[in-house]
C-alpha cells in the first residue's frame, strides 16, 4: 500500500467552479502537508503548506488537514483557466536529520474550461 | 529568485549507455534531491544529499548512483541505461534541516531506446 494516495483524475470543470482535490495517507508521523502545482513541461512549485491539523487560506485556495482521518484537501474557489495544471500533495515527517524528505501523491490533472 | 537548472530538457539514449544528468542550484542550499516522475506513480525519490560528498538512498535507488563534489551541483548517473528508466527526472534543492520548501528544476525527459 502506498503511503500517500491521490485520485489521479483527470478532472475537468467549467470556469468558476469550486474544485476539491484530496489525498489520504497512512503514516502517522507526517506533520507537514503541502500542495505543489505543476504546469505542463515545468517543475512543481509550492502552492501551500500547513503544519498539523486545521485550515489555511490564501486567496482562492484553502488547504485543509484532518490528521484524525489522515485526510488532506485543497479547495479552489472561482476556478480559472490559469489553474489548469497537475496538483501534487506531499507530506513530511519531522525528525529527519537529512531534512525535507517528502512523500508525494500521484498528482491530479485539473483542466478548467473557459 | 531561486534557480535550479538541469543540463538537458530532452535526452535520448541507447540501452546500456552510461547517462549523466546534471543539476545546479544557485542558492547555496545544503540539500539536493533527485526524483523520477511517472504517470500513475507520482514523484519518487531516487537519491538525496544533505552535504557535499554525502548521499543517501531514497525509495528507488536501484540502477542509479549520484555524485556531489560541489555544494551547488548534484549529478545523477545511470550506469547502464535500461528501457524501464525512461522517465521524467526532476532535481530539487532546499536549505537546512527539518521542513523547508523544495525548489524544483524544469525536469529532463529521458528516453532509453
Amino acid at each position: 500500500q502506498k503511503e500517500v494516495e491521490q485520485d489521479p483524475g483527470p478532472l475537468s470543470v467549467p470556469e468558476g467552479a469550486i474544485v476539491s482535490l484530496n489525498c489520504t495517507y497512512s503514516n502517522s508521523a507526517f506533520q507537514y502537508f503541502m500542495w505543489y502545482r505543476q504546469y505542463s513541461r515545468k517543475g512543481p512549485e509550492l502552492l501551500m503548506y500547513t503544519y498539523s491539523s486545521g485550515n489555511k487560506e490564501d486567496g482562492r485556495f484553502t488547504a485543509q488537514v484532518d490528521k484524525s482521518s489522515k485526510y488532506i484537501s485543497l479547495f479552489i474557489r472561482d476556478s480559472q483557466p490559469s489553474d489548469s495544471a497537475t496538483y501534487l500533495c506531499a507530506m513530511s515527517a519531522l525528525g529527519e536529520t537529512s531534512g525535507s524528505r517528502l512523500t508525494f501523491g500521484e498528482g491530479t490533472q485539473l483542466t478548467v474550461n473557459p | 529568485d531561486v534557480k535550479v537548472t538541469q543540463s538537458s530538457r530532452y535526452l535520448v539514449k541507447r540501452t546500456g549507455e552510461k547517462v549523466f544528468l546534471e543539476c545546479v542550484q544557485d542558492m547555496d542550499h545544503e540539500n539536493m534531491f533527485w526524483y523520477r516522475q511517472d504517470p500513475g506513480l507520482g514523484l519518487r525519490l531516487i537519491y538525496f544529499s544533505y552535504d557535499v560528498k554525502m548521499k543517501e538512498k531514497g525509495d528507488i535507488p536501484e540502477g542509479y548512483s549520484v555524485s556531489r563534489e560541489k555544494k551547488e551541483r548534484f549529478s545523477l548517473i545511470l550506469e547502464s541505461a535500461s528501457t524501464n528508466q525512461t522517465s521524467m527526472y526532476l532535481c530539487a534543492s532546499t536549505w537546512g534541516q527539518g521542513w523547508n520548501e523544495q525548489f524544483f528544476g524544469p525536469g529532463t525527459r529521458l528516453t532509453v531506446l
Side-chain angles (χ1 to χ4, degrees), chain A residues 25 28 30-33 49-56 63-72:
Chain A
Y25 64 96
S28 300
F30 288 145
Q31 295 195 47
Y32 281 98
F33 304 92
Y49 74 93
T50 53
Y51 174 70
S52 195
S53 284
N55 290 1
K56 185 174 183 178
Q64 195 172 75
V65 174
D66 182 349
K67 289 190 73 179
S68 62
S69 302
K70 296 190 177 65
Y71 191 87
I72 72 169

Side-chain angles (χ1 to χ4, degrees), chain A residues 57-106:
Chain A
E57 191 172 316
D58 183 2
R60 296 184 294 110
F61 299 88
T62 299
Q64 195 172 75
V65 174
D66 182 349
K67 289 190 73 179
S68 62
S69 302
K70 296 190 177 65
Y71 191 87
I72 72 169
S73 299
L74 178 71
F75 298 98
I76 307 175
R77 291 184 299 280
D78 187 26
S79 56
Q80 302 295 309
S82 58
D83 295 329
S84 298
T86 296
Y87 291 80
L88 300 141
C89 64
M91 307 180 188
S92 175
L94 288 179
E96 300 268 357
T97 57
S98 52
S100 301
R101 181 169 176 167
L102 300 180
T103 302
F104 284 85
E106 301 96 296

Side-chain angles (χ1 to χ4, degrees), chain B residues 43-102:
Chain B
L43 271 74
R44 293 179 293 166
L45 183 64
I46 304 171
Y47 266 98
F48 60 103
S49 168
Y50 53 91
D51 202 352
V52 176
K53 297 191 186 296
M54 304 300 287
K55 61 184 179 184
E56 285 200 25
K57 294 180 180 179
D59 299 318
I60 51 165
E62 297 78 18
Y64 303 94
S65 62
V66 291
S67 172
R68 191 155 180 215
E69 297 296 320
K70 292 185 178 181
K71 191 175 185 179
E72 67 270 19
R73 188 179 297 269
F74 192 35
S75 302
L76 181 69
I77 303 154
L78 287 65
E79 295 289 342
S80 178
S82 64
T83 55
N84 62 12
Q85 292 178 310
T86 292
S87 186
M88 170 68 82
Y89 289 87
L90 289 160
C91 175
S93 72
T94 191
W95 66 94
Q97 294 187 354
W99 182 84
N100 287 298
E101 178 182 356
Q102 287 191 19

